[in-house]
Amino acid sequence: MIKQKKIVHRLIWSYTILLGLFTLIMLTIFFSLFNNQGLELHQEQMKEQGDTIAETIMSEGYLNSNDEEASMHQRMMKGNSHMSGVNNLLSLISKLSTDEIYIVTPQGESLFSSHMMSQKNQNDSLPNAGQNILNLVKMNQTNQLVEINEKDVPYTLGYGVPLTDDSTQLIGSVIVLSRKEHSL
């Protein structure tokens, strides 16, 4: 009788340990897949935001000007009523997104940043991570999705979209930086 109780207890402990290990393995697999899916969704959201902003800016002609002597900032700010539409769009996107959005000249001068809409005292210059993405965009003249693995850099993902004129010359870029904790 005592021997049967020991066997029953061993079987119960064995099945409990086996069930616990199986549960841990399944949870590990589930959270791994969940994190990968979340990363893919966030990347797609960043791409959609950047592409939508770039398309709106270029289709509405916010950066186009016949005045060759006007600076990029002057061209961007020309016509306040025309510009209010893009400011409203960018303001809405920056409120809906936790990502930081910058519209910059090819030299990296900020024409717009999501900080302008949300935080008055925040520096709106392009961070080093954004400067690296801008350099890639200038070099390749294509959209760039980049994972940032630098120490002491709070960003983990960045997306850059070139803004080109009719002669395919780079006139600016849209840079979206994410502080999400992901790894590709």
Side-chain angles (χ1 to χ4, degrees), residues 33-110:
L33 293 173
F34 182 75
N35 285 335
N36 287 340
Q37 181 67 24
L39 174 61
E40 288 175 16
L41 288 174
H42 187 67
Q43 288 174 345
E44 289 302 316
Q45 177 189 14
M46 286 178 66
K47 288 179 182 180
E48 187 175 333
Q49 285 176 350
D51 293 342
T52 300
I53 292 169
E55 182 181 315
T56 302
I57 289 172
M58 296 312 296
S59 68
E60 297 296 325
Y62 293 121
L63 290 180
N64 295 336
S65 174
N66 294 333
D67 186 4
E68 293 294 327
E69 294 177 9
S71 72
M72 191 67 71
H73 185 57
Q74 289 169 334
R75 285 189 242 172
M76 188 76 173
M77 294 303 167
K78 194 175 186 180
N80 287 337
S81 63
H82 193 58
M83 195 58 196
S84 66
V86 78
N87 279 338
N88 290 339
L89 170 72
L90 295 174
S91 176
L92 176 65
I93 289 174
S94 69
K95 287 178 184 175
L96 295 175
S97 175
T98 57
D99 300 331
E100 295 179 20
I101 302 165
Y102 297 88
I103 299 173
V104 296
T105 65
Q107 295 77 30
E109 298 170 8
S110 181

Coordinates of all heavy atoms in Angstrom, one line a residue, residues 33-110:
L33 N 6.6 34.5 -31.2 CA 5.8 34.7 -32.4 C 5.0 36.1 -32.3 O 4.9 36.8 -33.2 CB 4.8 33.6 -32.7 CG 5.5 32.3 -33.1 CD1 4.4 31.2 -33.2 CD2 6.2 32.4 -34.4
F34 N 4.5 36.3 -31.1 CA 3.8 37.5 -30.8 C 4.7 38.8 -31.0 O 4.2 39.8 -31.6 CB 3.2 37.5 -29.4 CG 2.4 38.7 -29.0 CD1 1.1 38.8 -29.5 CD2 2.9 39.6 -28.1 CE1 0.3 39.9 -29.1 CE2 2.1 40.7 -27.8 CZ 0.9 40.9 -28.2
N35 N 5.9 38.7 -30.5 CA 6.8 39.8 -30.6 C 7.2 40.1 -32.1 O 7.3 41.2 -32.5 CB 8.1 39.6 -29.8 CG 7.8 39.9 -28.3 OD1 6.9 40.6 -27.9 ND2 8.6 39.3 -27.5
N36 N 7.4 39.0 -32.8 CA 7.8 39.1 -34.2 C 6.6 39.7 -35.0 O 6.8 40.6 -35.9 CB 8.1 37.7 -34.8 CG 9.5 37.3 -34.4 OD1 10.3 38.1 -33.9 ND2 9.7 36.0 -34.5
Q37 N 5.4 39.3 -34.7 CA 4.2 39.9 -35.4 C 4.0 41.3 -35.0 O 3.7 42.2 -35.9 CB 2.9 39.1 -35.0 CG 1.7 39.6 -35.6 CD 1.7 39.3 -37.1 OE1 2.3 38.5 -37.6 NE2 0.9 40.1 -37.8
G38 N 4.3 41.7 -33.8 CA 4.2 43.1 -33.4 C 5.2 43.9 -34.1 O 4.9 45.1 -34.5
L39 N 6.4 43.4 -34.2 CA 7.5 44.1 -34.9 C 7.1 44.4 -36.4 O 7.2 45.4 -36.9 CB 8.8 43.4 -34.9 CG 10.0 43.9 -35.7 CD1 10.3 45.4 -35.2 CD2 11.2 43.0 -35.6
E40 N 6.6 43.3 -37.1 CA 6.2 43.4 -38.5 C 5.1 44.5 -38.6 O 5.1 45.3 -39.6 CB 5.7 42.1 -39.0 CG 6.9 41.1 -39.2 CD 6.4 39.7 -39.7 OE1 5.2 39.6 -40.1 OE2 7.2 38.8 -39.6
L41 N 4.1 44.4 -37.7 CA 3.0 45.4 -37.8 C 3.5 46.8 -37.6 O 3.1 47.8 -38.3 CB 1.9 45.1 -36.7 CG 1.1 43.9 -37.0 CD1 0.2 43.6 -35.8 CD2 0.3 44.1 -38.3
H42 N 4.5 47.0 -36.6 CA 5.0 48.3 -36.4 C 5.8 48.8 -37.6 O 5.8 50.0 -37.9 CB 5.8 48.3 -35.1 CG 6.3 49.7 -34.7 ND1 5.4 50.7 -34.3 CD2 7.5 50.3 -34.7 CE1 6.1 51.8 -34.1 NE2 7.4 51.6 -34.3
Q43 N 6.6 47.9 -38.2 CA 7.3 48.3 -39.4 C 6.4 48.8 -40.5 O 6.7 49.8 -41.2 CB 8.2 47.2 -39.9 CG 9.4 46.9 -39.0 CD 10.1 45.6 -39.4 OE1 9.6 44.8 -40.2 NE2 11.3 45.5 -38.9
E44 N 5.3 48.0 -40.7 CA 4.4 48.4 -41.7 C 3.7 49.7 -41.4 O 3.5 50.6 -42.3 CB 3.3 47.3 -41.9 CG 3.8 46.1 -42.5 CD 4.4 46.3 -43.9 OE1 3.8 47.0 -44.7 OE2 5.5 45.7 -44.2
Q45 N 3.4 50.0 -40.1 CA 2.8 51.3 -39.7 C 3.8 52.4 -40.0 O 3.4 53.5 -40.5 CB 2.5 51.2 -38.3 CG 1.9 52.6 -37.8 CD 1.7 52.6 -36.3 OE1 2.3 51.8 -35.5 NE2 1.0 53.6 -35.8
M46 N 5.1 52.2 -39.7 CA 6.1 53.2 -39.9 C 6.2 53.5 -41.4 O 6.3 54.7 -41.9 CB 7.5 52.8 -39.4 CG 7.6 52.9 -37.9 SD 9.2 52.3 -37.4 CE 10.3 53.5 -38.1
K47 N 6.2 52.5 -42.2 CA 6.3 52.6 -43.7 C 5.1 53.4 -44.2 O 5.2 54.3 -45.0 CB 6.4 51.3 -44.4 CG 7.7 50.6 -44.2 CD 7.7 49.2 -44.9 CE 9.0 48.5 -44.7 NZ 8.9 47.2 -45.4
E48 N 3.9 53.0 -43.7 CA 2.7 53.7 -44.2 C 2.7 55.2 -43.8 O 2.3 56.0 -44.6 CB 1.5 53.0 -43.6 CG 0.2 53.5 -44.2 CD -1.0 52.7 -43.6 OE1 -0.9 51.5 -43.3 OE2 -2.1 53.3 -43.6
Q49 N 3.1 55.5 -42.6 CA 3.2 56.9 -42.1 C 4.1 57.7 -43.0 O 3.8 58.7 -43.5 CB 3.6 57.0 -40.7 CG 2.6 56.6 -39.7 CD 3.2 56.6 -38.3 OE1 4.4 56.7 -38.1 NE2 2.3 56.5 -37.3
G50 N 5.3 57.2 -43.2 CA 6.3 57.9 -44.0 C 5.9 58.0 -45.4 O 6.1 59.1 -46.0
D51 N 5.4 57.0 -46.0 CA 4.9 57.1 -47.4 C 3.8 58.0 -47.6 O 3.7 58.8 -48.6 CB 4.6 55.7 -47.9 CG 5.8 54.7 -48.0 OD1 6.9 55.2 -48.0 OD2 5.6 53.5 -48.1
T52 N 2.8 58.0 -46.6 CA 1.7 58.9 -46.7 C 2.1 60.3 -46.6 O 1.6 61.2 -47.4 CB 0.7 58.5 -45.6 OG1 0.2 57.2 -45.8 CG2 -0.5 59.5 -45.7
I53 N 3.0 60.6 -45.7 CA 3.5 62.0 -45.5 C 4.2 62.5 -46.8 O 4.0 63.5 -47.3 CB 4.3 62.1 -44.3 CG1 3.5 61.9 -43.0 CG2 5.0 63.5 -44.2 CD1 4.3 61.7 -41.7
A54 N 5.1 61.6 -47.3 CA 5.9 62.0 -48.5 C 4.9 62.2 -49.7 O 5.1 63.2 -50.4 CB 6.9 60.9 -48.8
E55 N 4.0 61.3 -49.8 CA 3.1 61.4 -51.0 C 2.2 62.7 -50.9 O 2.0 63.4 -51.9 CB 2.1 60.2 -51.0 CG 1.2 60.2 -52.1 CD 0.3 58.9 -52.1 OE1 0.8 57.8 -51.8 OE2 -0.9 59.1 -52.2
T56 N 1.8 63.0 -49.7 CA 1.0 64.2 -49.5 C 1.8 65.5 -49.7 O 1.3 66.4 -50.4 CB 0.4 64.3 -48.0 OG1 -0.4 63.1 -47.8 CG2 -0.4 65.5 -47.8
I57 N 3.0 65.5 -49.2 CA 3.9 66.7 -49.4 C 4.2 66.9 -50.9 O 4.1 68.0 -51.5 CB 5.2 66.5 -48.6 CG1 4.9 66.7 -47.1 CG2 6.2 67.5 -49.1 CD1 6.0 66.4 -46.2
M58 N 4.5 65.8 -51.6 CA 4.8 65.9 -53.0 C 3.6 66.1 -53.9 O 3.7 66.9 -54.9 CB 5.6 64.7 -53.5 CG 6.9 64.5 -52.8 SD 8.0 65.9 -52.7 CE 8.3 66.2 -54.4
S59 N 2.5 65.5 -53.6 CA 1.3 65.7 -54.5 C 0.7 67.0 -54.4 O 0.2 67.6 -55.3 CB 0.3 64.6 -54.2 OG -0.3 64.8 -52.9
E60 N 0.9 67.6 -53.2 CA 0.3 69.0 -53.0 C 1.3 70.1 -53.3 O 1.0 71.3 -53.3 CB -0.2 69.2 -51.5 CG -1.3 68.2 -51.1 CD -2.6 68.5 -51.9 OE1 -2.8 69.7 -52.2 OE2 -3.3 67.5 -52.2
G61 N 2.6 69.7 -53.7 CA 3.6 70.7 -54.1 C 4.1 71.5 -53.0 O 4.4 72.7 -53.2
Y62 N 4.1 71.0 -51.7 CA 4.6 71.9 -50.6 C 6.1 72.2 -50.7 O 6.5 73.2 -50.2 CB 4.4 71.2 -49.3 CG 2.9 71.0 -49.0 CD1 2.3 69.8 -48.8 CD2 2.1 72.1 -48.9 CE1 1.0 69.6 -48.5 CE2 0.7 72.0 -48.6 CZ 0.2 70.8 -48.4 OH -1.1 70.6 -48.1
L63 N 6.9 71.4 -51.4 CA 8.3 71.6 -51.5 C 8.7 72.2 -52.9 O 9.8 72.5 -53.1 CB 9.1 70.4 -51.2 CG 9.1 69.9 -49.8 CD1 10.0 68.6 -49.7 CD2 9.6 70.9 -48.9
N64 N 7.7 72.3 -53.8 CA 8.1 72.8 -55.1 C 7.9 74.3 -55.2 O 7.0 74.8 -54.6 CB 7.1 72.1 -56.2 CG 7.3 70.7 -56.3 OD1 8.4 70.2 -56.0 ND2 6.3 69.9 -56.7
S65 N 8.8 74.9 -55.9 CA 8.8 76.3 -56.0 C 9.5 76.7 -57.3 O 10.6 76.2 -57.6 CB 9.3 77.0 -54.8 OG 9.4 78.4 -55.0
N66 N 9.0 77.7 -58.0 CA 9.8 78.2 -59.1 C 10.8 79.2 -58.7 O 11.7 79.5 -59.5 CB 8.8 78.9 -60.1 CG 7.8 77.9 -60.7 OD1 8.1 76.7 -60.8 ND2 6.6 78.4 -61.1
D67 N 10.8 79.7 -57.5 CA 11.8 80.6 -57.0 C 13.0 79.9 -56.6 O 13.1 79.3 -55.6 CB 11.2 81.4 -55.8 CG 12.1 82.5 -55.4 OD1 13.2 82.7 -56.0 OD2 11.8 83.2 -54.4
E68 N 14.1 79.9 -57.5 CA 15.3 79.2 -57.2 C 16.1 79.7 -56.0 O 16.9 79.0 -55.4 CB 16.2 79.2 -58.5 CG 15.6 78.4 -59.6 CD 15.5 76.9 -59.3 OE1 16.4 76.4 -58.6 OE2 14.6 76.3 -59.8
E69 N 15.9 81.0 -55.8 CA 16.7 81.7 -54.7 C 16.1 81.5 -53.3 O 16.8 81.7 -52.4 CB 16.9 83.2 -55.0 CG 17.7 83.4 -56.3 CD 17.7 84.9 -56.6 OE1 17.3 85.7 -55.8 OE2 18.2 85.2 -57.7
A70 N 14.9 81.0 -53.3 CA 14.3 80.8 -52.0 C 14.9 79.6 -51.3 O 15.2 78.6 -51.9 CB 12.8 80.6 -52.1
S71 N 15.1 79.8 -50.0 CA 15.6 78.6 -49.2 C 14.5 77.5 -49.1 O 13.4 77.8 -49.3 CB 16.0 79.1 -47.8 OG 14.9 79.3 -47.0
M72 N 15.0 76.4 -48.8 CA 14.0 75.3 -48.6 C 13.0 75.6 -47.5 O 11.8 75.3 -47.7 CB 14.8 74.0 -48.2 CG 14.0 72.7 -48.3 SD 13.5 72.3 -50.0 CE 15.0 71.8 -50.7
H73 N 13.4 76.2 -46.5 CA 12.5 76.6 -45.4 C 11.5 77.6 -45.9 O 10.3 77.5 -45.6 CB 13.3 77.1 -44.2 CG 12.4 77.4 -43.0 ND1 11.6 76.4 -42.4 CD2 12.2 78.5 -42.3 CE1 11.0 77.0 -41.4 NE2 11.3 78.2 -41.3
Q74 N 11.9 78.6 -46.7 CA 11.0 79.6 -47.2 C 10.0 78.9 -48.2 O 8.8 79.3 -48.2 CB 11.8 80.7 -47.9 CG 12.6 81.6 -47.0 CD 13.5 82.5 -47.8 OE1 14.0 82.1 -48.9 NE2 13.9 83.6 -47.1
R75 N 10.5 78.0 -49.0 CA 9.6 77.3 -49.9 C 8.5 76.5 -49.1 O 7.4 76.4 -49.5 CB 10.3 76.3 -50.8 CG 11.1 77.0 -51.9 CD 11.6 76.0 -52.8 NE 13.1 76.1 -52.8 CZ 13.9 75.2 -53.4 NH1 13.4 74.2 -54.1 NH2 15.1 75.4 -53.4
M76 N 9.0 75.8 -48.0 CA 8.1 75.0 -47.2 C 7.0 75.9 -46.5 O 5.9 75.5 -46.4 CB 8.9 74.2 -46.2 CG 8.1 73.2 -45.4 SD 7.8 71.8 -46.4 CE 7.1 70.7 -45.2
M77 N 7.4 77.1 -46.1 CA 6.5 77.9 -45.4 C 5.7 78.9 -46.3 O 4.9 79.6 -45.8 CB 7.3 78.7 -44.3 CG 7.9 77.9 -43.3 SD 6.6 76.9 -42.4 CE 7.5 75.8 -41.5
K78 N 5.9 78.9 -47.6 CA 5.3 79.8 -48.5 C 3.8 79.4 -48.5 O 3.4 78.3 -48.7 CB 5.9 79.6 -49.9 CG 5.6 80.7 -50.8 CD 6.3 80.5 -52.1 CE 6.1 81.6 -53.1 NZ 6.9 81.4 -54.3
G79 N 3.0 80.5 -48.3 CA 1.5 80.3 -48.4 C 1.0 79.6 -47.2 O 0.8 78.4 -47.2
N80 N 0.7 80.3 -46.1 CA 0.3 79.7 -44.9 C -1.0 78.9 -45.0 O -1.2 77.9 -44.4 CB 0.1 80.8 -43.8 CG 1.4 81.3 -43.3 OD1 2.4 80.6 -43.4 ND2 1.4 82.5 -42.8
S81 N -2.0 79.4 -45.9 CA -3.2 78.7 -46.0 C -3.0 77.3 -46.7 O -3.6 76.3 -46.3 CB -4.2 79.5 -46.8 OG -3.7 79.7 -48.1
H82 N -2.1 77.3 -47.6 CA -1.7 76.0 -48.3 C -1.0 75.1 -47.4 O -1.2 73.9 -47.4 CB -0.9 76.4 -49.5 CG -0.7 75.2 -50.5 ND1 -1.8 74.6 -51.1 CD2 0.4 74.6 -50.9 CE1 -1.4 73.6 -51.9 NE2 -0.1 73.6 -51.8
M83 N -0.2 75.7 -46.5 CA 0.6 74.9 -45.6 C -0.2 74.3 -44.4 O 0.2 73.3 -43.8 CB 1.8 75.8 -45.1 CG 2.9 75.0 -44.4 SD 3.5 73.8 -45.5 CE 4.4 72.8 -44.4
S84 N -1.3 75.0 -44.1 CA -2.1 74.5 -42.9 C -2.6 73.1 -43.1 O -2.7 72.4 -42.1 CB -3.2 75.5 -42.6 OG -4.2 75.4 -43.7
G85 N -2.8 72.7 -44.4 CA -3.3 71.4 -44.6 C -2.3 70.3 -44.2 O -2.6 69.3 -43.6
V86 N -1.0 70.5 -44.6 CA 0.0 69.6 -44.2 C 0.3 69.7 -42.7 O 0.6 68.6 -42.1 CB 1.3 69.8 -45.1 CG1 2.1 70.9 -44.6 CG2 2.1 68.5 -45.0
N87 N 0.3 70.9 -42.1 CA 0.4 70.9 -40.7 C -0.6 70.2 -39.9 O -0.4 69.5 -38.9 CB 0.5 72.4 -40.2 CG 1.8 73.1 -40.5 OD1 2.8 72.4 -40.6 ND2 1.8 74.4 -40.6
N88 N -1.9 70.3 -40.4 CA -3.0 69.5 -39.8 C -2.7 68.0 -39.9 O -2.9 67.3 -39.0 CB -4.3 69.9 -40.4 CG -4.7 71.3 -40.0 OD1 -4.2 71.9 -39.0 ND2 -5.6 71.9 -40.8
L89 N -2.3 67.6 -41.1 CA -2.1 66.2 -41.3 C -0.9 65.7 -40.4 O -1.0 64.7 -39.8 CB -1.7 65.9 -42.8 CG -1.2 64.5 -43.1 CD1 -2.3 63.5 -43.0 CD2 -0.5 64.5 -44.5
L90 N 0.2 66.4 -40.4 CA 1.3 66.0 -39.6 C 1.0 66.1 -38.1 O 1.5 65.2 -37.3 CB 2.5 66.9 -39.9 CG 3.0 66.7 -41.4 CD1 4.1 67.7 -41.7 CD2 3.5 65.3 -41.6
S91 N 0.2 67.1 -37.7 CA -0.2 67.2 -36.3 C -1.0 65.9 -35.9 O -0.8 65.4 -34.9 CB -1.0 68.4 -36.1 OG -1.5 68.5 -34.8
L92 N -2.0 65.6 -36.8 CA -2.8 64.4 -36.5 C -1.9 63.1 -36.4 O -2.1 62.3 -35.5 CB -3.9 64.2 -37.6 CG -4.7 63.0 -37.5 CD1 -5.6 63.0 -36.2 CD2 -5.6 62.9 -38.7
I93 N -1.1 62.9 -37.4 CA -0.2 61.7 -37.4 C 0.7 61.7 -36.2 O 0.9 60.7 -35.5 CB 0.6 61.7 -38.7 CG1 -0.3 61.3 -39.9 CG2 1.7 60.6 -38.6 CD1 0.3 61.4 -41.2
S94 N 1.2 62.9 -35.8 CA 2.1 62.9 -34.6 C 1.4 62.6 -33.3 O 1.9 62.1 -32.4 CB 2.9 64.2 -34.5 OG 2.1 65.2 -34.2
K95 N 0.1 63.0 -33.3 CA -0.7 62.7 -32.1 C -1.1 61.2 -32.0 O -1.2 60.6 -31.0 CB -2.0 63.5 -32.1 CG -1.8 65.0 -31.8 CD -3.0 65.8 -31.8 CE -2.8 67.3 -31.6 NZ -3.9 68.1 -31.7
L96 N -1.3 60.6 -33.2 CA -1.7 59.2 -33.2 C -0.5 58.2 -33.1 O -0.7 57.1 -32.7 CB -2.4 58.9 -34.5 CG -3.8 59.6 -34.7 CD1 -4.3 59.3 -36.1 CD2 -4.8 59.2 -33.7
S97 N 0.6 58.7 -33.4 CA 1.8 57.9 -33.4 C 2.7 58.2 -32.2 O 2.9 59.3 -31.8 CB 2.6 58.1 -34.7 OG 3.8 57.4 -34.7
T98 N 3.4 57.2 -31.7 CA 4.4 57.4 -30.7 C 5.8 57.6 -31.3 O 6.7 57.8 -30.6 CB 4.5 56.2 -29.7 OG1 4.7 55.0 -30.5 CG2 3.2 56.0 -28.9
D99 N 5.8 57.5 -32.6 CA 7.1 57.6 -33.3 C 7.4 59.1 -33.5 O 6.5 59.9 -33.5 CB 7.0 57.0 -34.7 CG 6.8 55.5 -34.6 OD1 7.2 54.9 -33.6 OD2 6.2 54.9 -35.5
E100 N 8.6 59.4 -33.8 CA 9.0 60.8 -34.0 C 9.2 61.0 -35.5 O 9.8 60.2 -36.2 CB 10.3 61.1 -33.3 CG 10.2 61.1 -31.8 CD 11.5 61.4 -31.1 OE1 12.4 62.0 -31.7 OE2 11.5 61.0 -29.9
I101 N 8.6 62.0 -36.1 CA 8.5 62.3 -37.5 C 9.3 63.6 -37.8 O 9.0 64.6 -37.2 CB 7.1 62.4 -38.0 CG1 6.3 61.1 -37.6 CG2 7.0 62.6 -39.5 CD1 4.8 61.2 -37.7
Y102 N 10.2 63.5 -38.8 CA 10.9 64.7 -39.2 C 10.8 64.8 -40.7 O 10.9 63.8 -41.4 CB 12.4 64.5 -38.8 CG 12.7 64.4 -37.4 CD1 12.7 63.2 -36.7 CD2 13.0 65.6 -36.6 CE1 12.9 63.1 -35.4 CE2 13.2 65.5 -35.3 CZ 13.2 64.2 -34.6 OH 13.5 64.1 -33.3
I103 N 10.6 66.1 -41.2 CA 10.8 66.4 -42.6 C 12.0 67.3 -42.6 O 12.0 68.4 -42.0 CB 9.5 67.1 -43.1 CG1 8.3 66.2 -43.0 CG2 9.7 67.5 -44.6 CD1 7.0 66.8 -43.3
V104 N 13.0 66.9 -43.4 CA 14.3 67.6 -43.4 C 14.7 67.9 -44.8 O 14.3 67.2 -45.8 CB 15.4 66.7 -42.7 CG1 15.0 66.6 -41.2 CG2 15.6 65.4 -43.3
T105 N 15.6 68.8 -44.9 CA 16.3 69.1 -46.2 C 17.4 68.1 -46.4 O 17.7 67.3 -45.5 CB 17.0 70.5 -46.1 OG1 18.0 70.5 -45.1 CG2 16.0 71.6 -45.8
P106 N 18.0 68.0 -47.6 CA 19.1 67.0 -47.8 C 20.3 67.3 -46.9 O 21.0 66.3 -46.7 CB 19.4 67.3 -49.3 CG 18.2 67.8 -49.9 CD 17.6 68.7 -48.9
Q107 N 20.4 68.5 -46.4 CA 21.5 68.7 -45.5 C 21.2 68.4 -44.0 O 22.0 68.5 -43.1 CB 21.9 70.2 -45.5 CG 22.4 70.7 -46.8 CD 21.4 70.8 -47.9 OE1 20.2 71.2 -47.6 NE2 21.7 70.6 -49.1
G108 N 19.9 68.0 -43.8 CA 19.5 67.6 -42.4 C 18.8 68.7 -41.6 O 18.5 68.5 -40.4
E109 N 18.6 69.8 -42.2 CA 17.9 70.9 -41.5 C 16.4 70.6 -41.4 O 15.8 70.2 -42.4 CB 18.0 72.2 -42.3 CG 19.4 72.7 -42.5 CD 19.5 73.8 -43.5 OE1 18.5 74.4 -43.9 OE2 20.7 74.2 -43.8
S110 N 15.9 70.7 -40.2 CA 14.5 70.3 -39.9 C 13.5 71.3 -40.5 O 13.6 72.5 -40.1 CB 14.3 70.1 -38.4 OG 13.0 69.7 -38.2

